[in-house]
Amino acid sequence: MAQETNSKYLINGKQNILSGSAPSGDLTLGNFIGAIRQWGNLQNEYNCYYMVVDLHSITTRQDPKVLRERSISFFAQYLAAGLDPKKNTIFFQSHVSAHSELAWILNCFTPYGDLTRMTQFKDKSVKHPKNINAGLFTYPVLMAADILLYDCHLVPVGEDQKQHIELTRDIALRFNNEFGETFVVPEPFIPKVGGRVMALQEPSRKMDKSDPNQNNTVFLLDEPKVIEKKLKSATTDSGTTIEYTEEKPGVKNLLEIYSSLSEEKIDSIVQKFEGKMYGHLKVDLASLVVEKTQHIRDEYKRLIADKNFLHSVMKENAERASAHADKTLSRVYDKIGFVPKA
Ligand code: AMP
Ligand code: TRP
């Protein structure tokens, strides 16, 4: 679809954005720096949809009780981290049935070969060899449905999700070619700073909420003492000088976290720590992380105790999401040739 015709999909003159995270582990400092904090910065300029991506989370086995509690916790953490549910539409993916419905349709328009090329599918198949289910394979099609339902112009995601956005674009373009203008073709929107917070003990890979080694990960709801302990035991490198270099991935990661939270340039942080030991950097970073996230823990405690409020917000926001999604789904049903209900 040409960019100029996209304007009819604007809401109050604003472009649509959607993103989300799957409740398959607790939210991390990486999620905060790379995603949630960035989402908060978009809420005035764009019409934003943010999901707790529960349908996607069950492509790997989840304990039902943990999943339910964690999903509500995610929702409360989104709000606590500063996403305003009046300015953004914040909802559970499973509360809007159009996601599953459009996913089926798009499954019928997605070549098998395209899905076999998805690196996340290949990685997860190796990680969970006993549970390579069809949902894991068609995961990117559900993600395409998520995005296309809200006529999204932009999708803020990390590098690892770029391939899924490419696939979404292919699906949208193919459908538009066959049936005429139906979907907005989205672009990925990857943050420039803090795009990749690395694991504390193994800085060659990203900090991940489902990492079995909890010392790799600072969780957003970790108590200050735990944050300090994890950061103090972060892997640094041989040598003693605090430098920003590929040869010292551990120190580099700590400097990047410092920089993205303090909004200071890496150079000036390096200067500040000149002649100091790794330990100094770790102690200062721990205080900074605690300081920049304490309001989230405080607000979270207040919100999670107020289930009535949370339920009313989730209901109202899901209704707003459904109104948009159902409209898109009807447009698709009509194009395909399904008989309308009434
Ligand atoms: P996930 O945790 O994979 O559900 O990702 C949810 C969002 O958080 C995505 O936009 C990711 O790009 C972002 N994210 C996850 N882990 C990190 C990390 N270690 N560094 C930066 N961003 C991350
Ligand atoms: N697959 C994304 C991830 O693992 C989560 C996700 C699902 C998503 N649907 C989405 C992100 C739609 C952006 C838009 O991070």
Side-chain angles (χ1 to χ4, degrees), residues 198-204 213 215-217 229-230 233-235:
M198 309 309 275
L200 297 177
Q201 305 279 328
E202 294 151 84
S204 56
N213 177 2
N215 286 327
N216 266 329
T217 315
K229 191 165 153 274
K230 286 180 176 174
S233 66
T235 299

Side-chain angles (χ1 to χ4, degrees), residues 108-159:
C108 302
F109 288 89
T110 307
Y112 171 83
D114 286 9
L115 292 179
T116 60
R117 282 191 284 279
M118 296 293 118
T119 55
Q120 181 175 298
F121 170 68
K122 292 187 220 167
D123 293 348
K124 286 204 177 170
S125 307
V126 172
K127 242 169 132 181
H128 305 279
K130 295 217 174 78
N131 186 18
I132 307 178
N133 58 72
L136 193 63
F137 188 63
T138 60
Y139 178 114
V141 182
L142 176 59
M143 182 162 164
D146 299 339
I147 295 165
L148 299 178
L149 278 173
Y150 299 94
D151 305 308
C152 288
H153 304 85
L154 295 172
V155 188
V157 282
E159 274 298 325

Side-chain angles (χ1 to χ4, degrees), residues 237-250:
D237 313 86
S238 55
T240 50
T241 47
I242 295 172
E243 289 169 280
Y244 186 74
T245 150
E246 295 296 335
E247 270 102 71
K248 294 189 171 186

Side-chain angles (χ1 to χ4, degrees), residues 18-21 51 53 56 93 120 139 143 146-147 155-157 161 164:
L18 166 123
S19 198
S21 181
M51 298 182 294
V53 188
H56 275 106
Q93 190 184 23
Q120 181 175 298
Y139 178 114
M143 182 162 164
D146 299 339
I147 295 165
V155 188
V157 282
Q161 295 298 311
H164 291 162

